[in-house]
Amino acid sequence: MEILKDYSLKSLNTFGLNVDAKYFIRVASLVDIREIDRFIKIKKLPYLFIGGGSNVLFTKNFNGLVIKIDLRGIEIVDEDARHVFVKAASGENWDEFVRYCVNHNYVGIENLSLIPGSVGASPIQNIGAYGVEMKDFFYEVEFYDLTDGSVKNFKKADCHFGYRSSIFKNELKGKVVILSVTFRLNKKPFFKTDYGVIKDELKKLGVKELAAKAIREAVINIRRRKLPDTEIIGNAGSFYKNPVVTAEKHNEIKSAFPSLVSFLQSDGTYKLAAGWLIEQCGWKGKRIQDAGVHDKQALVLVNYGNATGEDILELSEKIKSSVFERFGVELEREVNVV
Ligand code: EPU
């Protein structure tokens, strides 16, 4: 392991923000992580572990040690008549892992194709798209506990998964390093295609016989049309969560704004489409210098090239205020600000 100094993080965050880490290192094994843990504690350095850098907004240089998780490997660890248990190291790229599963006909996570980021980040915010959440196929996670140096395993119930949330985003934030995630995938076809746009895209593709490959293709087409490619325009996917409100609050907004886009949840609350709220406030496609709101999906903030994290944060606060003023709804960030 080699500690690098004044290291540029531009290519390591999908917003493409031009910030430096005072110190930078890559870790590729548990042994490396233990060593770094000792080093951080001796030097009392601020530290930040990063995966794919797809959910972080750097507002300044990081005056400490940034640790990039590079643990690799995918293996089948168990199977039964209906399932296969696939374990992936945290540093594996999420979409490459999805492609591997689809190619082997391990069914379940194909709806989560093309989500940027790493496998290790997937349980932290319980990534989701097109009617599927990672938790639906999650089996267990193995992590290093920075508080006592032990390695632990958590099953689904331990992780407190919720909408874009888990114990790792709350009580255990900053206290653990995820090492691997094991998924329980189906051997038999069991597809989720009830999300409207998926149905339409499959029809467009002329798919007669459903297969994980066809769903992956449909999802990739939809995402490419709606979401900016991080290689071309810096972004971190949805900047906010879709807010969840009481039925009472929902009905109040709906009577004032009948075209409100919302989804009834099983507990009687409503999830509101944040993209719709932002668009209604006139922000869609807006640009302030190099910070902007994507013209095809208002929930995505973009860096057209030379925006700073501060520029994007400032824009996001303006959006938040106008949504609150108009609808009385508080938007919550999905992206982590550092
Ligand atoms: N909408 C608008 N204007 C917009 C954007 C959306 O009116 O500019 C309305 C439309 O009616 C649309 C509805 O909002 O039908 C929902 O939009 P979309 O299907 O694009 O999904 P989303 O709720 O905006 C969520 C996830 C995405 C995920 C998609 C697809 C969150 C925070 N985001 O977005 O996840 O890809 O559903 O399932 O839940 C991410 O988390 O980074 C992410 C990209």
Side-chain angles (χ1 to χ4, degrees):
M1 281 194 301
E2 187 192 356
I3 295 191
L4 303 163
K5 240 192 130 199
D6 300 322
Y7 193 83
S8 171
L9 301 175
K10 191 168 162 61
S11 65
L12 296 174
N13 74 98
T14 60
F15 261 122
L17 297 163
N18 199 5
V19 288
D20 288 349
K22 181 136 201 232
Y23 303 106
F24 175 81
I25 199 160
R26 293 174 189 273
V27 291
S29 68
L30 176 59
V31 173
D32 289 355
I33 292 172
R34 283 194 195 287
E35 199 174 314
I36 276 303
D37 185 20
R38 270 196 300 274
F39 180 78
I40 291 165
K41 281 174 184 149
I42 293 166
K43 300 273 180 202
K44 297 196 168 54
L45 267 180
Y47 61 89
L48 176 72
F49 284 90
I50 60 167
S54 60
N55 204 34
V56 60
L57 180 75
F58 285 105
T59 54
K60 48 183 171 309
N61 289 334
F62 190 78
N63 192 23
L65 177 64
V66 170
I67 305 139
K68 166 96 169 88
I69 299 171
D70 267 347
L71 280 73
R72 291 299 159 116
I74 299 176
E75 57 175 322
I76 309 302
V77 288
D78 201 1
E79 58 184 302
D80 60 26
R82 288 167 44 216
H83 304 110
V84 52
F85 294 75
V86 190
K87 178 176 175 177
S90 53
E92 288 290 334
N93 171 274
W94 173 261
D95 189 54
E96 279 166 24
F97 174 61
V98 174
R99 193 179 55 192
Y100 169 93
C101 294
V102 167
N103 286 344
H104 287 80
N105 272 320
Y106 306 148
V107 176
I109 53 174
E110 53 284 348
N111 293 47
L112 306 182
S113 290
L114 216 61
I115 294 182
S118 63
V119 167
S122 68
I124 298 177
Q125 60 154 357
N126 179 24
I127 59 172
Y130 308 109
V132 171
E133 285 184 340
M134 185 236 54
K135 76 167 169 48
D136 305 336
F137 298 94
F138 172 94
Y139 180 67
E140 70 178 359
V141 60
E142 184 187 28
F143 61 86
Y144 177 80
D145 188 335
L146 288 160
T147 60
D148 63 6
S150 64
V151 172
K152 297 191 171 93
N153 278 290
F154 269 10
K155 293 282 194 293
K156 196 189 281 190
D158 306 314
C159 296
H160 306 169
F161 288 125
Y163 166 56
R164 293 295 191 280
S165 155
S166 76
I167 195 166
F168 305 110
K169 229 182 154 175
N170 295 293
E171 294 95 306
L172 296 184
K173 191 171 178 173
K175 295 183 182 149
V176 308
V177 184
I178 292 182
L179 302 171
S180 71
V181 187
T182 303
F183 296 86
R184 193 180 76 149
L185 299 166
N186 294 312
K187 287 182 174 173
K188 298 252 165 60
F190 179 82
F191 302 115
K192 210 153 169 18
T193 56
D194 35 355
Y195 208 90
V197 281
I198 300 250
K199 260 194 215 137
D200 298 345
E201 188 64 27
L202 288 168
K203 209 182 273 172
K204 217 158 102 186
L205 288 170
V207 170
K208 298 263 167 0
E209 206 179 314
L210 264 188
K213 264 193 182 140
I215 294 185
R216 176 168 165 80
E217 192 183 343
V219 168
I220 288 176
N221 288 351
I222 297 164
R223 290 187 73 99
R224 289 218 166 112
R225 273 202 299 271
K226 270 194 122 173
L227 300 166
D229 181 346
T230 54
E231 295 290 322
I232 300 165
I233 301 179
N235 75 93
S238 301
F239 195 87
Y240 309 96
K241 292 187 194 181
N242 285 322
V244 177
V245 299
T246 61
E248 196 186 357
K249 178 73 190 169
H250 167 264
N251 298 342
E252 188 190 302
I253 304 174
K254 185 86 182 167
S255 59
F257 304 91
S259 61
L260 172 71
V261 180
S262 59
F263 308 91
L264 177 61
Q265 307 296 289
S266 55
D267 61 359
T269 59
Y270 283 84
K271 197 184 264 183
L272 311 182
W276 184 89
L277 299 171
I278 297 168
E279 182 174 350
Q280 294 302 305
C281 294
W283 285 105
K284 195 167 183 171
K286 280 264 162 75
R287 175 171 177 169
I288 302 178
Q289 285 154 350
D290 267 2
V293 180
H294 188 48
D295 57 354
K296 297 189 187 76
Q297 169 42 293
L299 195 45
V300 178
L301 302 192
V302 297
N303 172 10
Y304 283 106
N306 292 314
T308 63
E310 284 290 352
D311 296 339
I312 291 168
L313 187 61
E314 208 173 291
L315 171 64
S316 79
E317 290 300 317
K318 286 188 179 136
I319 293 170
K320 204 175 144 154
S321 302
S322 40
V323 167
F324 186 74
E325 262 166 46
R326 183 143 190 191
F327 301 104
V329 172
E330 192 84 51
L331 290 180
E332 189 192 333
R333 271 198 304 267
E334 191 186 287
V335 167
N336 292 308
V337 174
V338 174

